[in-house]
Amino acid sequence: MAESFFLPYHYVDHLTSPGLQTSAGPVKLSQYLCKDRGNGGNDSATSFYKNFRWIKDASGINLNQHVGGKAIDLALKGQGNDKAFVKIWNFMLKNKELMDKYKVDVCGRAKKDGSKDVEQTGKIKRMYFDKMSDRAALQQMVQDRFFGMDCIGFIANFLIYTGEWDKYYGVSPKNYPKHVAKINIDDVHEVKPLDFMVWNGHVAIVDWVWNKIDEKSVRIDMCQSSSGGPQCNEWVILKQTGGKGINGGMEFTILGGTPAPPVRGNLTIWRREGFWF
């Protein structure tokens, strides 16, 4: 555990402004993707990886070997690392002819009954790379939910990006107080950058604390991946409620924000010992 030389917004910018640097130029990882079907599912990604990860290039290497099986598994469920996405995309660009071997389903969010929402089916090269520039093709595939990050993936990979974690550790939001950040913050005026904002099914992180509004409220920026993908929500009002939440932590709520944070409701705030900016 150590000082961080990056704030969460640096990582948001790394992912989206201008984006991850591929051999075709920057591609924005501006999509939310989660294996949980209640949060949209990963049907497009599943249809892509199930075959393409095993197709060999001219040298006999497949994507699974090139990137790593665990890295592919994490990308499939919305928790892939930014470096892995660049490797995946560059492999695709180098081997575009392989992308017409199998058909894929382009899917929207999973339907409320859990079934797939198939928007179109076809071969990747014909649907994307034959119709637009390589960079635009990759960006459209992000938009079409082949690639993206969920909330856990964003936080975990920020911790890797800033050097706090040496590799990916999978922790569900409700278990962050047990395994990631064990110090409960119960006073809104004690909140600092890099404090973790924890809901029962979502996790975000405080980027900056601007000013006190009143005895129960402060103005902050926060970062997360939610609807719309990795994002920084500025000028959010964080308000102490007085209730108790996960692990007995003080509950807070959020108001306002630009853009408005997609996840609302009560949350608790936790600090990782020795992790500070």
Side-chain angles (χ1 to χ4, degrees):
M1 300 181 186
E3 177 183 6
S4 173
F5 294 97
F6 298 99
L7 285 167
Y9 90 88
H10 290 120
Y11 190 53
V12 173
D13 284 352
H14 174 65
L15 297 174
T16 65
S17 183
L20 300 176
Q21 292 295 331
T22 74
S23 60
V27 175
K28 303 175 189 293
L29 193 69
S30 51
Q31 179 62 275
Y32 177 81
L33 179 71
C34 182
K35 184 179 180 181
D36 185 338
R37 303 195 70 72
N39 290 325
N42 61 346
D43 291 322
S44 290
T46 297
S47 73
F48 171 71
Y49 287 114
K50 71 178 181 181
N51 289 317
F52 192 68
R53 70 189 294 175
W54 305 116
I55 300 174
K56 294 180 179 179
D57 66 11
S59 64
I61 301 296
N62 61 40
L63 182 66
N64 205 69
Q65 294 168 310
H66 179 67
V67 181
K70 183 176 181 180
I72 295 289
D73 290 341
L74 290 172
L76 172 60
K77 62 181 183 177
Q79 293 159 23
N81 184 265
D82 44 281
K83 293 179 181 178
F85 284 116
V86 172
K87 286 185 177 181
I88 292 166
W89 293 337
N90 282 343
F91 185 90
M92 292 171 64
L93 294 171
K94 188 177 180 180
N95 299 282
K96 284 184 285 186
E97 72 283 353
L98 299 179
M99 289 186 285
D100 269 353
K101 285 186 174 290
Y102 297 97
K103 290 183 178 180
V104 295
D105 294 329
V106 180
C107 301
R109 291 175 58 88
K111 296 179 181 178
K112 289 185 178 180
D113 63 3
S115 62
K116 291 169 64 174
D117 178 19
V118 180
E119 297 175 349
Q120 62 175 316
T121 298
K123 295 182 177 180
I124 292 174
K125 185 172 181 291
R126 297 178 190 179
M127 286 194 296
Y128 297 98
F129 293 91
D130 287 349
K131 294 182 178 180
M132 57 193 82
S133 71
D134 288 352
R135 178 182 172 188
L138 291 174
Q139 193 65 66
Q140 186 60 49
M141 289 187 72
V142 173
Q143 183 65 31
D144 288 345
R145 301 171 54 81
F146 289 96
F147 312 105
M149 271 188 182
D150 67 7
C151 65
I152 299 170
F154 173 79
I155 298 295
N157 284 295
F158 167 68
L159 292 173
I160 295 170
Y161 178 78
T162 196
E164 181 67 7
W165 279 0
D166 60 343
K167 61 181 180 180
Y168 177 85
Y169 296 95
V171 182
S172 64
K174 67 180 180 180
N175 288 324
Y176 262 63
K178 296 179 182 178
H179 303 297
V180 179
K182 301 178 181 180
I183 302 170
N184 178 234
I185 305 303
D186 60 6
D187 183 338
V188 72
H189 299 296
E190 295 298 320
V191 174
K192 296 180 180 179
L194 304 187
D195 285 345
F196 295 85
M197 307 171 70
V198 181
W199 290 255
N200 185 45
H202 184 60
V203 62
I205 191 167
V206 176
D207 185 72
W208 198 250
V209 179
W210 288 107
N211 61 286
K212 174 181 176 179
I213 297 175
D214 56 40
E215 292 304 315
K216 298 292 184 181
S217 306
V218 295
R219 197 182 316 273
I220 68 168
D221 292 346
M222 59 184 285
C223 292
Q224 62 183 312
S225 186
S226 187
S227 178
Q231 59 195 271
C232 184
N233 310 105
E234 300 177 309
W235 299 103
V236 174
I237 297 172
L238 178 68
K239 184 174 183 178
Q240 189 171 324
T241 71
K244 296 290 184 179
I246 295 172
N247 276 40
M250 175 63 66
E251 281 190 330
F252 299 81
T253 192
I254 53 176
L255 306 166
T258 304
V263 177
R264 300 285 179 164
N266 291 344
L267 64 127
T268 54
I269 297 182
W270 301 84
R271 182 170 299 157
R272 181 171 173 84
E273 185 177 0
F275 183 52
W276 56 283
F277 177 79

